[in-house]
Amino acid sequence: TQLLEQSPQFLSIQEGENLTVYCNSSSVFSSLQWYRQEPGEGPVLLVTVVTGGEVKKLKRLTFQFGDARKDSSLHITAAQPGDTGLYLCAGTYSGSARQLTFGSGTQLTVLP
Amino acid sequence: DTAVSQTPKYLVTQMGNDKSIKCEQNLGHDTMYWYKQDSKKFLKIMFSYNNKELIINETVPNRFSPKSPDKAHLNLHINSLELGDSAVYFCASSQNGVEETQYFGPGTRLLVL
């Protein structure tokens, strides 16, 4: 079973601060996705990265895929209360029978 | 229109009962999934179906059985419910393979007493 570790598990910051969330695996990803889940709802896809070293930006969110495709980070600039939610990374691995493995999640709270 | 819908949203039942959760997607996707999210928010794949064919079946007890009457529906039937089955169950769909965007339903909160 592939393990995807996310850190930190919980993060509480003030509005306007910057933050970074990490996703790490001991195995190489074929592709990696980041989702955000709000209370009472299902996860919603934010981005998919597939190439080592790839950087994608989505407004104030910057996603980076590690060169070796074993890790990824999500950086949020000037966080807002609307960014509050559970951030999940999810990866697919070569030869893993088309399975999406989710990380343990980072619960982000942005205080006004 | 909701892309992926699930019913019921809440389900409270006694141990030993049999229950079903329904899922429908109107996106025309070929693959549908069931996930279980535990109390620590860990999300784990249970099943996926592609064109009515089961393509993934994790180490899930055989009390759980997915049923797909057509491409747009993937229902989850659970026999002899146990306390440990309490969780949030999410249905999802994607156009083709798992590496494509998965669209999740709102979840069914199951509580077994």
Side-chain angles (χ1 to χ4, degrees):
Chain A
T1 303
Q2 309 291 358
L3 262 180
L4 260 177
E5 295 184 358
Q6 284 187 244
S7 61
Q9 187 177 358
F10 298 96
L11 187 56
S12 182
I13 61 171
Q14 293 290 331
E15 182 176 2
E17 292 183 359
N18 301 332
L19 67 111
T20 303
V21 173
Y22 300 93
C23 175
N24 294 285
S25 174
S26 57
S27 301
V28 176
F29 296 110
S30 297
S31 68
L32 187 133
Q33 300 175 345
W34 283 94
Y35 288 80
R36 180 169 67 207
Q37 183 179 12
E38 299 188 11
E41 298 181 8
V44 176
L45 181 70
L46 297 173
V47 77
T48 300
V49 287
V50 295
T51 305
E54 184 175 2
V55 176
K56 282 192 174 179
K57 292 192 174 184
L58 185 65
K59 296 183 181 178
R60 293 176 294 100
L61 278 59
T62 301
F63 304 85
Q64 187 159 5
F65 201 14
D67 291 341
R69 296 188 1 242
K70 289 186 176 183
D71 57 272
S72 180
S73 64
L74 158 59
H75 182 80
I76 302 180
T77 304
Q80 299 177 359
D83 295 327
T84 294
L86 178 68
Y87 288 81
L88 297 160
C89 65
T92 58
Y93 299 90
S94 302
S96 70
R98 293 168 287 173
Q99 175 179 331
L100 191 63
T101 300
F102 277 83
S104 48
T106 294
Q107 180 63 54
L108 171 66
T109 303
V110 182
L111 303 169
Chain B
D1 276 346
T2 305
V4 182
S5 59
Q6 293 179 231
T7 54
K9 185 166 185 177
Y10 299 95
L11 184 53
V12 181
T13 188
Q14 297 285 333
M15 257 175 49
N17 284 350
D18 302 338
K19 290 293 178 185
S20 291
I21 306 172
K22 295 185 177 181
C23 177
E24 177 181 1
Q25 55 96 3
N26 62 7
L27 298 167
H29 286 169
D30 286 333
T31 307
M32 295 183 70
Y33 311 84
W34 276 105
Y35 288 87
K36 179 180 180 181
Q37 188 170 46
D38 62 23
S39 57
K40 295 185 178 180
K41 304 296 185 184
F42 185 63
L43 199 61
K44 188 172 181 181
I45 183 74
M46 298 177 71
F47 303 102
S48 68
Y49 258 75
N50 185 314
N51 292 326
K52 296 191 179 183
E53 183 179 358
L54 180 68
I55 58 174
I56 299 176
N57 186 346
E58 279 293 297
T59 53
V60 172
N62 57 14
R63 298 181 294 104
F64 291 79
S65 55
K67 290 182 174 30
S68 181
D70 55 58
K71 197 174 84 166
H73 296 83
L74 183 64
N75 303 324
L76 183 64
H77 189 75
I78 315 169
N79 289 326
S80 303
L81 278 156
E82 300 178 357
L83 294 177
D85 297 333
S86 296
V88 183
Y89 292 84
F90 287 99
C91 177
S93 72
S94 66
Q95 181 60 51
N96 293 305
V98 69
E99 294 187 359
E100 300 191 12
T101 302
Q102 293 196 18
Y103 294 84
F104 284 80
T108 295
R109 286 132 194 88
L110 172 65
L111 178 60
V112 183
L113 302 174

